[in-house]
């Protein structure tokens, strides 16, 4: 039996946890909730995850508690996991035992000997699943314990959903940030590349311009790969031939879901970085003339619905605006030269 001191400590601990939840918002709230849930129900794993904008089967974990410690931000494949069923069905799922047998392809559950699982979908205002909260144990749980966990999560699921919607909106707002000193120069294009790579959670993004006196090549203006700007390739002139960008000569959009290495075997960097997908979009000026393009590359499949996402549309508009500003500024500085950058050999 718990003595008085234990009861007082437990009461104080619970009170402190509730106070943290009551005064937290955003990422802090989600992390505090996962830790509180794990502590209250001796849960081995709790995560709050967001369905990735560009991939139906990937979850970006925003808050987590595993064996009492946060795991940091990471992305995992949700295919063949109970998480995928929760999001796709848009309904709560609970497995009191033997969850490994139901999802034998879930390597994490097998490696960590996870036995029981509860998951709730997190939804936006339109009722669409945008993520989930999950709790898992290495032991079996009984119905009474499961009901307590379900009741607790149910009290917070709307709040967690709202925080996820807000987090998505904040990424869009951050992408709109534009310092006046950056307007019309390469720094603006570099910033957009960094924002695209980070916000869309892809491996690489680059922006290129057409070369007025050479329609067989394009010039790279800015590129961000794995969080790092690659300024060594800025200004590099690249032939369209033998690259996926060559398809933009005939169409405004070119999407290659998963055959990048096979279809373009001469691009060694794709194999080195294990890039398999490509999505490129032409940029046109006010006279409807193509003036350049931007492209995304990833080591997972980029879905066609990417083109319809608010974030992608926002970046397309930003790239168009900044590329036109950049070219106008270069022409103003040197109106007689069609080559606005020195090629990097």
């Amino acid at each position: 039996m718990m003595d008085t001191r234990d009861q007082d400590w437990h009461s104080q601990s619970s009170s402190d946890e509730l106070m943290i939840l009551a005064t937290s918002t955003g990422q802090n709230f989600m992390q505090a909730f996962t830790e509180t849930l794990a502590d209250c129900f001796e849960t081995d794993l709790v995560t709050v995850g967001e369905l990735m904008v560009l991939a139906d089967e990937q979850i970006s974990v925003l808050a987590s508690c595993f064996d009492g410690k946060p795991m940091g931000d990471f992305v995992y494949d949700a295919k063949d996991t109970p998480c995928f069923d929760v999001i796709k069905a848009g309904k709560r799922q609970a497995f009191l035992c033997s969850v490994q047998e139901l999802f034998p392809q879930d390597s994490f559950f097998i490696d960590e000997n996870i036995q029981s699982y509860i998951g709730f979908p997190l939804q936006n205002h339109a009722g669409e699943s945008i993520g989930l909260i999950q709790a898992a144990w290495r032991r079996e749980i009984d119905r009474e314990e499961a009901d307590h966990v379900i009741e607790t999560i149910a009290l917070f699921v709307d709040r967690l959903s709202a925080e996820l919607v807000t987090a998505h909106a904040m990424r869009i707002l951050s992408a709109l940030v534009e310092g006046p000193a950056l307007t019309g120069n390469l720094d603006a294009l570099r910033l957009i590349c960094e924002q695209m790579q980070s916000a869309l959670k892809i491996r690489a993004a680059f922006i290129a311009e057409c070369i007025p006196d050479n329609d067989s090549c394009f010039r790279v203006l800015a590129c961000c790969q794995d969080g790092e700007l690659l300024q060594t390739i800025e200004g590099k002139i690249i032939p369209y031939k033998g690259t996926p960008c060559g398809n933009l000569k005939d169409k405004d959009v070119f999407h290659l879901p998963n055959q990048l290495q096979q279809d373009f075997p001469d691009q060694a960097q794709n194999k080195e970085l294990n890039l398999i997908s490509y999505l490129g979009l032409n940029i046109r000026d006010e006279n409807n003339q193509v003036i350049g393009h931007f492209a995304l590359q990833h080591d997972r499949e980029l879905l066609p619905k990417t083109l319809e996402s608010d974030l992608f549309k926002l970046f397309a508009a930003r790239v168009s605006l900044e590329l036109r500003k950049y070219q106008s500024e270069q022409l103003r500085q040197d109106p007689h030269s069609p080559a606005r950058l020195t090629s990097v050999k």
Side-chain angles (χ1 to χ4, degrees):
M1 178 180 295
M2 184 182 296
D3 65 26
T4 303
R5 286 175 298 177
D6 287 338
Q7 289 177 340
D8 290 343
W9 179 89
H10 184 75
S11 176
Q12 181 62 48
S13 176
S14 298
S15 177
D16 290 343
E17 290 170 345
L18 289 173
M19 181 59 68
I20 292 172
L21 283 178
T23 58
S24 300
T25 59
Q27 175 74 30
N28 291 335
F29 171 80
M30 290 187 283
Q31 184 60 41
F33 182 78
T34 62
E35 293 174 3
T36 301
L37 192 73
D39 181 53
C40 290
F41 295 102
E42 299 180 345
T43 309
D44 295 305
L45 172 70
V46 182
T47 70
V48 176
E50 179 182 20
L51 184 64
M52 297 265 298
V53 173
L54 305 187
D56 266 339
E57 297 176 355
Q58 286 184 276
I59 302 294
S60 173
V61 174
L62 305 181
S64 60
C65 186
F66 180 52
D67 289 342
K69 297 179 181 179
M71 303 169 71
D73 296 341
F74 65 95
V75 175
Y76 68 93
D77 278 325
K79 186 179 180 181
D80 300 320
T81 71
C83 305
F84 195 61
D85 284 4
V86 169
I87 289 176
K88 283 300 181 183
K91 296 180 180 179
R92 182 187 74 229
Q93 300 277 11
F95 305 98
L96 307 190
C97 62
S98 305
V99 69
Q100 287 183 34
E101 297 176 13
L102 298 173
F103 299 91
Q105 302 302 314
D106 191 329
S107 58
F108 178 82
F109 276 17
I110 293 173
D111 292 343
E112 295 297 332
N113 195 31
I114 299 298
Q115 299 295 323
S116 50
Y117 173 96
I118 293 173
F120 274 72
L122 302 178
Q123 300 176 325
N124 61 19
H125 301 304
E128 300 168 330
S129 295
I130 56 174
L132 83 159
I133 176 169
Q134 63 171 336
W137 296 259
R138 292 188 179 94
R139 57 182 173 83
E140 296 182 5
I141 58 175
D142 58 30
R143 171 51 61 184
E144 182 179 4
E145 183 177 7
D147 287 343
H148 284 316
V149 175
I150 289 170
E151 289 171 6
T152 301
I153 296 178
L155 292 174
F156 289 91
V157 72
D158 288 343
R159 170 71 185 277
L160 289 165
S161 295
E163 294 291 357
L164 213 55
V165 169
T166 300
H168 180 72
M170 288 302 294
R171 282 200 298 276
I172 293 178
L173 289 174
S174 67
L176 284 169
V177 173
E178 179 184 352
L182 303 181
T183 302
N185 63 32
L186 273 179
D187 283 338
L189 299 176
R190 291 173 182 139
L191 176 61
I192 296 172
C193 275
E194 287 183 304
Q195 290 173 331
M196 283 196 292
Q197 192 267 318
S198 175
L200 296 173
K201 298 187 178 180
I202 52 173
R203 292 291 305 282
F206 68 87
I207 300 171
E209 69 172 347
C210 297
I211 303 173
D213 57 351
N214 185 355
D215 63 2
S216 66
C217 299
F218 61 89
R219 180 183 287 112
V220 177
L221 296 178
C223 178
C224 184
Q225 174 189 299
D226 297 328
E228 181 180 355
L229 283 171
L230 304 183
Q231 296 192 24
T232 56
I233 68 171
E234 289 179 6
K236 187 172 184 179
I237 293 176
I238 299 176
Y240 282 105
K241 186 176 181 180
T243 73
C245 301
N247 289 273
L248 296 173
K249 297 278 289 179
D250 304 316
K251 58 186 74 173
D252 272 345
V253 178
F254 180 62
H255 176 221
L256 195 61
N258 51 30
Q259 292 288 114
L260 186 58
Q261 295 179 28
Q262 294 89 331
D263 290 3
F264 299 93
D266 294 334
Q267 290 196 299
Q269 71 272 17
N270 294 333
K271 291 183 179 179
E272 292 170 2
L273 299 171
N274 194 33
L275 301 175
I276 66 168
S277 55
Y278 171 98
L279 178 60
L281 181 71
N282 274 336
I283 299 299
R284 294 178 176 270
D285 63 15
E286 59 274 7
N287 297 318
N288 204 35
Q289 297 298 309
V290 176
I291 58 173
H293 65 273
F294 75 93
L296 314 176
Q297 293 176 299
H298 198 35
D299 55 12
R300 305 294 175 89
E301 183 173 331
L302 293 173
L303 299 177
K305 73 172 188 178
T306 300
L307 292 162
E308 301 303 318
S309 75
D310 292 339
L311 208 50
F312 183 85
K313 291 177 181 178
L314 171 63
F315 281 123
R318 279 288 308 281
V319 174
S320 177
L321 174 65
E322 293 299 342
L323 184 55
R324 282 181 283 168
K325 286 182 179 179
Y326 172 76
Q327 292 189 340
S328 295
E329 180 64 17
Q330 299 306 303
L331 286 171
R332 186 187 68 80
Q333 294 178 5
D334 188 0
H336 303 294
S337 174
R340 291 175 288 277
L341 279 175
T342 301
S343 173
V344 176
K345 302 300 183 184

